[in-house]
Amino acid sequence: MRMRATARGWTAVWLVVLALVQAAALLAVWRVALHTEIGQWVDTVALTGNQIGHDRIDGPVDRILNAMSVVSLLAATAMIGFIALIRGRIALAVTATLLIAGANVSTQLLKYGLSRPDLGLDPDRAAVGNSLPSGHTAVAASVAVALMLVLPPKVRAVGAFVGASYAALAGVATLSAGWHRPSDAVAAYLVVGVWAALAGLVLLITQREQAQIAPGDAHRVAAIVLGVAGVLALIASGLALTWLVDLRGTGPEELSRRPLFVGYAGSAAGIAGTMALVMALVLTVVHRLVPRVKG
């Protein structure tokens, strides 16, 4: 079936809403995590709690993070562009490349443009300043989403699950290694989500009138599973952090092992849940952005 003008219009509205909601969420994360005492305290508790079991996972975590270099990003971008080109999708190759470049460049601009006031809650890292959003997490998430866009419909759902898992693992790894606070990873996913919505608008605008979509390419079940998993993880994170904030009068270094673990595990769940939800939202609409028959 062809994409009717009405359906195309509603798809454009959905993408605009996605971009605005994720941008608003990014603004909220920035405001709470960087400019409120409770936000900085929770981030610091989670980062302090990463020392629990650190020796057991130090090696795998370092390997995951060290694999994310500029060279590996360029190689992944080239591979994604190549997949789109061999499918005869030139506009898709260009758009996927712009998604990766835009997400990672804007992540670096935000990282160096935003300030993190020292509220006295994390004196050991005060000199580091702002680290939001996480560059390593943005690399993993942008590659995962772009790869899902260029894959053929038959393997798109598998790509979404693998990509979301990989990006979530990368985000948790930055926390486990002590490289980033949990809010840094969450912010990176939201940056990628905004760029994914903008990339979708570009694909929609450049789509030919003869393009035909196949309802079977919607992958609704996969999108629902990812979305539900993401929501459940965010609920678990919210419950854990709600319990934790009752102890906010205590300095992170004075907390016992249990609240430190709750802070770390709850934040890790929030990181994974955010990525799952971002991927689910993209998956709900990708069959309309990359139709089976391009026309």
Side-chain angles (χ1 to χ4, degrees):
M1 59 177 291
R2 290 186 179 180
M3 173 99 74
R4 291 182 304 205
T6 302
R8 193 182 301 232
W10 280 114
T11 302
V13 170
W14 172 245
L15 291 169
V16 171
V17 170
L18 282 183
L20 292 176
V21 168
Q22 290 177 108
L26 175 62
L27 183 63
V29 170
W30 162 76
R31 179 63 185 171
V32 173
L34 268 65
H35 294 275
T36 67
E37 289 188 2
I38 188 62
Q40 287 200 12
W41 184 83
V42 169
D43 262 354
T44 305
V45 170
L47 201 53
T48 305
N50 75 348
Q51 295 302 317
I52 299 174
H54 184 268
D55 293 340
R56 299 180 182 178
I57 62 173
D58 188 39
V61 164
D62 284 345
R63 283 192 290 272
I64 291 171
L65 296 176
N66 290 331
M68 297 174 195
S69 62
V70 174
V71 174
S72 64
L73 177 60
L74 293 175
T77 304
M79 179 194 70
I80 288 169
F82 179 73
I83 293 173
L85 289 175
I86 62 176
R87 296 183 60 206
R89 308 292 180 112
I90 298 176
L92 179 58
V94 173
T95 304
T97 301
L98 290 177
L99 187 165
I100 295 173
N104 285 282
V105 169
S106 57
T107 292
Q108 295 304 319
L109 291 176
L110 286 171
K111 186 194 299 288
Y112 293 106
L114 299 177
S115 61
R116 180 185 177 88
D118 181 12
L119 302 181
L121 296 166
D122 191 9
D124 292 341
R125 305 178 186 88
V128 176
N130 177 55
S131 56
L132 181 149
S134 163
H136 282 77
T137 306
V139 167
S142 60
V143 168
V145 173
L147 179 61
M148 191 267 290
L149 286 178
V150 304
L151 286 174
K154 290 183 178 180
V155 294
R156 187 176 289 151
V158 175
F161 279 103
V162 173
S165 299
Y166 166 69
L169 185 61
V172 174
T174 64
L175 172 62
S176 299
W179 289 14
H180 280 284
R181 305 170 176 95
S183 60
D184 300 349
V186 171
Y189 296 141
L190 294 172
V191 169
V192 172
V194 171
W195 276 95
L198 295 177
L201 285 171
V202 172
L203 290 172
L204 202 62
I205 291 171
T206 57
Q207 198 173 96
R208 298 177 182 177
E209 291 294 332
Q210 298 84 2
Q212 298 180 22
I213 64 172
D217 293 343
H219 298 298
R220 292 185 179 88
V221 174
I224 290 172
V225 171
L226 268 173
V228 170
V231 170
L232 290 177
L234 289 174
I235 291 174
S237 175
L239 291 174
L241 298 182
T242 298
W243 176 85
L244 185 66
V245 296
D246 289 339
L247 305 173
R248 60 184 177 273
T250 306
E253 70 284 350
E254 300 172 0
L255 292 173
S256 64
R257 182 183 180 90
R258 183 185 180 189
L260 288 176
F261 178 76
V262 169
Y264 170 76
S267 296
I271 290 171
T274 302
M275 183 60 222
L277 201 54
V278 168
M279 186 67 84
L281 291 173
V282 179
L283 189 58
T284 60
V285 73
V286 66
H287 67 291
R288 294 185 178 275
L289 308 177
V290 188
R292 182 178 288 270
V293 179
K294 66 176 182 177

